[in-house]
Amino acid sequence: MTKQIVIDPVTRIEGHSKITIQIDENGGVTDARFHVTQYRGFEKFIEGRPFYEMPGIMGRICGICTISHMLASAKATDRIMAVRVPETGHRLRQIINLASIIQSHALSFFHLSSPDFLLGMESDPAKRSIFGLMQMYPEVARDGIRLRRFGQEIIEWMAGKRLHPTWIVPGGVASPLEPEVRDRILATIPEIYVLLQRNLDWFKRKMEDYAQEIRTFGNFPTMFMGTITPKGELDLYDGHLRIVDDRGHMVEPSFKAQRYADYIGEAVEPWTFMKFPYYKPMGYPDGIYRVGPLARLNVIDSCGTPRADQEWAEFRQLDRRVVLSSFYYHYARLIECLYAVEKIEMMLDDPDILGKMVRANAGPNSEEGVGVTEAPRGTLIHHYRVDEQGRIVWANMIVSTTHNNMAMNRAVQQVAHRYVDGNKLTEGMLNRVEAVIRTFDPCLSCSTHAQNELPIQYELVGPHGEKLDEVTRG
Amino acid sequence: MATAVRSRIRTLKIDGRDVSAREDETILELAEENGIFIPTLCRIEGLSLVGACRLCLVEVAGMNKLVPACLTYATEGMEVFTDSERLRNYRRMILELLFSEGNHICAICVSNGKCELQALAQRLGMDHVRFANLQQERLVDMTHERFVVDRNRCILCARCVRVCDEIEWAHTWDIKGRGVDARVITDLDTPWGESDTCTSCGKCVRVCPVGAIVEKGRAVGEMAKRHDFLPHLAKMREAKK
Ligand code: SF4
Ligand code: FES
């Protein structure tokens, strides 16, 4: 007889999901799956809408990565207009993208995941949240809030509104940067460097306590994909895509993001709404790859900024060739924050950033447009087709979390095998299953459950659907 | 003097207040003169009145049915009520019906923050829509070089029809069909970009209270409109006739 454990919903991630664990008679895990239980159909309901409305509509997909969606969407519409975004507009988009990545990484690392590292995987679930952190490690909690605010304030100052700003438009951005805003951002940067260094230090020390998690948290060979500059440096907004294998060998040294469809296929499974992208030449499921901070730091030749490069060198020492454990996504997030701050500083230091030409105008000049950017969680692809009037007739999106779908499922299986014993439902082991999901920081939609506020249910289900056991927490 | 004859004075009550009106004055005008708010959508200064939106409904003592303030003239001894639980409910319901009929998702609309329908919904406290959206598929026409009409956002106020006919004298716009099938059309329901009559003057863009007729290429909230040109133009047209 097989039993099934259901974790529903998974807490401290964005969106709605469920984990089921199949147990055999002896309590051994036979299978584990990560389901996404919501369906949002954006691709369908934009049909017939004017193409230039896309950034505004697409930003609504998510409240955490609004900026990323707006940027990928705006880049696709740039292509439909067949224009080149003015240089200043291009850089302003880059800056807001970096700010968005910082605020998202801060949320993931500090608010959602650091309670696990600092309070412990087995600690009281009622306290294992940012609020518990506030009591035990107030300085870390404060740093997290400060870092997130740094990113959000840049967005707010540049775009006028923190959530769903409409400043990112087809052809560029709506308005130039005010000198006063530039100065305000630059003035806060030194403090942020200190903050990041402080937290990198404790996290690196802490990693030593988690050798077991590092070994078992989504630690398996896959390929990795990320965006690079022409020099092979880290790029989070624009550039070519690169895929490397689990030994760090180039699978695709550099291909045009526009041609993603030649390289990436999408498989579907009946038990989840999330598709399974795979590297086409290797087929499904062998073409498994990961995206996001870990992947990006695995594909590049260097970050291209001095402080981040120093950390990156240490990061690459963690594993023999490429860094395989998904646990290191957390570390990669901190390094990317460092890179993002350096990059923002570099761009703001250039007086051209105050240029007044920031937006190109045009009607529809091309039937198709692909926009690809690096969102906090990985490569984000928006692809539209329009009719001769410029109305959307077809759209496809591959969001960052989706690229990681196969890897997340495999990671859940790995952790379930290691930690779950079907005869004993302990909160700590089930939290580990969730924790591995959180390493990917999946953003399944648009809502944030930053606190441990949702009651979480585990169900032990027999082969005929009968409920054998139930545990509720939260 | 002719005007003196026409402007005979009526005395009546609005919301318990004694007011006096010229006999050619509507309840709406009189209320506005006295600083009393009555919501309106289809009415616009400088164009004829159609009484299409029914938002200006008021109660009159002795009458069972509600009357549109924009089309009802003041009469001697009349007692008008512009604000009651019943009226507030009616007005909110009318707004909800408008919202449920089309696509009025403000957050992604070019007219967000600059829309008369949205402003009214806020002012009248319409915080949710009780009716399921009709989910109609109405065509967006992007054939015009500079403008676009999104019929999903149209509330059929007929301002565009009137301004085009009465001020621009082009009569490009019309309304076709009845009930839920009613649509604004250009010429004989042919693509706007192919219109023989449209002069591309842009007046319909300026008077459209929502984001239905707008300039092309605008991002969310970028479509600001002004129609203070209208009364002046209307006067010129009057003089020409
Ligand atoms: S298009 Fe605008 S002006 Fe014309 S009827 Fe519709 S809402 Fe009124
Ligand atoms: S304003 Fe009176 S009916 Fe529209």
Side-chain angles (χ1 to χ4, degrees):
Chain A
M1 196 190 74
T2 58
K3 301 173 194 167
Q4 203 177 35
I5 301 173
V6 181
I7 307 180
D8 179 17
V10 180
T11 54
R12 284 184 283 145
I13 61 168
E14 329 292 346
H16 303 286
S17 64
K18 181 173 90 173
I19 292 172
T20 54
I21 303 167
Q22 294 281 342
I23 309 285
D24 63 20
E25 295 109 90
N26 307 322
V29 173
T30 58
D31 195 12
R33 280 173 178 178
F34 177 60
H35 310 246
V36 175
T37 51
Q38 63 173 16
Y39 178 72
R40 293 176 39 95
F42 265 80
E43 280 129 323
K44 196 71 206 148
F45 65 64
I46 55 169
E47 279 174 17
R49 303 301 315 164
F51 77 88
Y52 53 76
E53 285 188 355
M54 288 308 110
I57 295 179
M58 291 307 180
R60 299 279 157 176
I61 288 178
C62 178
I64 305 294
C65 26
T66 301
I67 301 287
S68 308
H69 280 289
M70 292 189 86
L71 286 169
S73 180
K75 287 179 79 177
T77 61
D78 300 341
R79 293 272 170 172
I80 286 171
M81 300 195 294
V83 294
R84 202 172 65 83
V85 175
E87 187 53 32
T88 306
H90 179 86
R91 289 200 210 157
L92 289 174
R93 280 186 180 178
Q94 274 180 291
I95 293 176
I96 203 166
N97 183 46
L98 293 165
S100 165
I101 286 176
I102 292 171
Q103 64 84 28
S104 175
H105 281 358
L107 179 73
S108 167
F109 182 88
F110 289 95
H111 299 60
L112 306 185
S113 289
S114 71
D116 287 338
F117 317 139
L118 290 171
L119 306 174
M121 298 279 173
E122 310 271 351
S123 62
D124 177 5
K127 298 217 177 83
R128 199 173 51 219
S129 70
I130 184 84
F131 302 113
L133 201 65
M134 207 89 88
Q135 283 163 11
M136 303 286 293
Y137 297 90
E139 68 293 345
V140 175
R142 260 201 307 274
D143 280 354
I145 290 164
R146 177 71 192 97
L147 185 62
R148 178 135 203 259
R149 205 179 73 219
F150 171 73
Q152 283 181 317
E153 272 177 351
I154 294 179
I155 295 169
E156 200 174 316
W157 295 338
M158 289 176 79
K161 211 165 112 197
R162 201 185 314 175
L163 218 56
H164 302 306
T166 53
W167 181 68
I168 297 156
V169 294
V173 295
S175 55
L177 182 67
E178 302 289 336
E180 181 262 334
V181 169
R182 174 196 59 183
D183 299 342
R184 235 190 298 166
I185 300 171
L186 282 173
T188 52
I189 283 181
E191 174 203 343
I192 300 300
Y193 281 139
V194 177
L195 181 158
L196 280 170
Q197 204 51 57
R198 181 162 64 223
N199 287 282
L200 271 162
D201 289 347
W202 75 251
F203 184 70
K204 280 190 281 184
R205 260 183 278 120
K206 203 77 196 167
M207 283 198 301
E208 288 159 22
D209 301 346
Y210 284 91
Q212 201 178 30
E213 278 80 1
I214 289 166
R215 249 195 335 273
T216 52
F217 268 38
N219 190 349
F220 42 75
T222 62
M223 291 178 283
F224 295 93
M225 183 170 81
T227 304
I228 49 161
T229 67
K231 283 197 237 155
E233 293 163 346
L234 181 61
D235 201 317
L236 296 175
Y237 172 70
D238 204 26
H240 287 189
L241 290 169
R242 175 182 281 178
I243 299 177
V244 302
D245 68 11
D246 55 308
R247 299 149 146 261
H249 297 151
M250 300 278 180
V251 177
E252 295 289 349
S254 163
F255 64 95
K256 278 207 181 91
Q258 301 289 318
R259 300 191 45 216
Y260 79 93
D262 295 343
Y263 300 87
I264 297 166
E266 285 180 278
V268 266
E269 293 283 2
W271 45 269
T272 175
F273 279 123
M274 192 156 41
K275 291 181 184 167
F276 293 85
Y278 58 94
Y279 174 56
K280 254 189 185 167
M282 290 174 70
Y284 176 73
D286 291 344
I288 181 173
Y289 60 90
R290 281 179 268 180
V291 299
L294 180 74
R296 291 190 286 244
L297 296 194
N298 272 334
V299 302
I300 53 172
D301 303 328
S302 72
C303 290
T305 59
R307 290 170 202 252
D309 266 333
Q310 229 173 347
E311 282 298 330
W312 181 74
E314 267 185 64
F315 168 86
R316 289 301 287 262
Q317 298 297 311
L318 291 170
D319 216 329
R320 277 192 314 170
R321 297 186 181 96
V322 286
V323 181
L324 289 178
S325 173
S326 296
F327 189 85
Y328 290 127
Y329 265 104
H330 298 302
Y331 185 24
R333 262 176 216 118
L334 287 181
I335 299 175
E336 281 196 341
C337 283
L338 195 55
Y339 161 86
V341 178
E342 288 182 284
K343 231 12 206 200
I344 290 174
E345 188 180 31
M346 278 159 76
M347 281 191 280
L348 288 179
D349 274 339
D350 182 344
D352 286 349
I353 200 69
L354 298 175
K356 297 287 178 242
M357 285 180 205
V358 294
R359 182 179 190 171
N361 287 302
N365 294 307
S366 166
E367 280 177 358
E368 197 163 356
V370 177
V372 181
T373 184
E374 287 291 332
R377 296 161 180 81
T379 315
L380 173 63
I381 303 172
H382 280 230
H383 184 183
Y384 314 136
R385 285 199 197 111
V386 296
D387 63 14
E388 72 294 343
Q389 293 180 37
R391 295 177 299 195
I392 302 284
V393 293
W394 176 90
N396 184 39
M397 286 173 292
I398 306 183
V399 302
S400 329
T401 298
T402 310
H403 294 285
N404 283 335
N405 199 6
M406 258 203 272
M408 279 192 290
N409 270 282
R410 203 169 284 185
V412 168
Q413 283 159 22
Q414 193 180 32
V415 172
H417 276 295
R418 173 68 189 74
Y419 290 101
V420 176
D421 179 349
N423 294 324
K424 294 190 283 319
L425 282 177
T426 71
E427 199 275 334
M429 78 191 184
L430 291 169
N431 185 49
R432 280 209 177 73
V433 175
E434 290 175 45
V436 73
I437 288 291
R438 279 198 294 274
T439 62
F440 293 93
D441 187 23
C443 180
L444 304 172
S445 75
C446 46
S447 54
T448 167
H449 306 299
Q451 309 97 333
N452 230 356
E453 64 190 351
L454 289 177
I456 185 163
Q457 266 199 338
Y458 310 101
E459 277 182 8
L460 201 60
V461 184
H464 308 297
E466 71 273 28
K467 200 179 284 173
L468 302 174
D469 191 13
E470 191 177 35
V471 177
T472 305
R473 130 193 137 166
Chain B
M1 237 163 45
T3 45
V5 179
R6 262 203 286 141
S7 308
R8 241 177 293 148
I9 299 299
R10 307 275 186 250
T11 53
L12 59 152
K13 271 193 164 107
I14 300 187
D15 295 340
R17 222 195 291 174
D18 288 314
V19 291
S20 51
R22 296 188 318 273
E23 65 174 343
D24 62 349
E25 238 178 330
T26 62
I27 296 173
L28 180 61
E29 289 168 315
L30 185 59
E32 280 173 355
E33 230 166 70
N34 286 281
I36 296 168
F37 169 71
I38 297 178
T40 61
L41 257 184
C42 65
R43 194 273 312 246
I44 181 168
E45 209 188 329
L47 296 182
S48 65
L49 295 161
V50 288
C53 74
R54 310 317 264 184
L55 269 160
C56 66
L57 289 177
V58 292
E59 290 173 337
V60 175
M63 282 174 87
N64 236 337
K65 72 181 203 343
L66 304 170
V67 297
C70 68
L71 286 175
T72 309
Y73 289 92
T75 57
E76 188 62 34
M78 202 181 215
E79 250 190 279
V80 180
F81 302 95
T82 68
D83 192 23
S84 68
E85 195 50 40
R86 178 181 174 211
L87 286 173
R88 282 195 293 270
N89 284 338
Y90 257 108
R91 289 168 184 160
R92 262 204 305 269
M93 187 164 75
I94 291 169
L95 287 174
E96 286 178 48
L97 287 167
L98 286 174
F99 271 84
S100 65
E101 209 172 89
N103 174 355
H104 299 285
I105 301 169
C106 305
I108 54 165
C109 179
V110 290
S111 293
N112 188 13
K114 299 164 174 101
C115 169
E116 292 182 43
L117 179 66
Q118 183 187 34
L120 218 48
Q122 281 162 352
R123 176 150 189 186
L124 301 187
M126 190 211 82
D127 44 18
H128 65 285
V129 178
R130 281 167 291 176
F131 312 106
N133 194 282
L134 286 185
Q135 305 277 3
Q136 304 191 73
E137 281 233 16
R138 299 181 183 166
L139 224 54
V140 178
D141 184 345
M142 294 179 69
T143 53
H144 192 282
E145 209 190 320
R146 286 161 49 210
F147 311 129
V148 46
V149 54
D150 180 355
R151 297 180 172 91
N152 299 288
R153 296 188 187 133
C154 171
I155 55 167
L156 295 165
C157 68
R159 285 188 187 181
C160 53
V161 178
R162 284 175 283 156
V163 80
C164 192
D165 178 51
E166 296 166 15
I167 308 293
E168 182 61 16
W169 293 356
H171 202 121
T172 304
W173 290 102
D174 252 311
I175 291 179
K176 169 191 158 178
R178 323 192 104 233
V180 286
D181 295 324
R183 304 271 185 280
V184 286
I185 54 165
T186 44
D187 287 356
L188 294 167
D189 202 5
T190 44
W192 190 0
E194 292 165 21
S195 169
D196 301 324
T197 57
C198 176
T199 62
S200 299
C201 71
K203 290 190 183 69
C204 52
V205 177
R206 295 244 222 144
V207 297
C208 177
V210 291
I213 304 182
V214 291
E215 287 162 13
K216 266 186 173 175
R218 296 291 181 149
V220 177
E222 283 193 324
M223 188 66 233
K225 299 177 178 191
R226 289 182 62 176
H227 44 68
D228 43 8
F229 69 100
L230 250 186
H232 174 66
L233 277 185
K235 242 180 243 151
M236 310 258 293
R237 283 288 180 250
E238 257 334 282
K240 264 201 183 174
K241 278 188 193 164

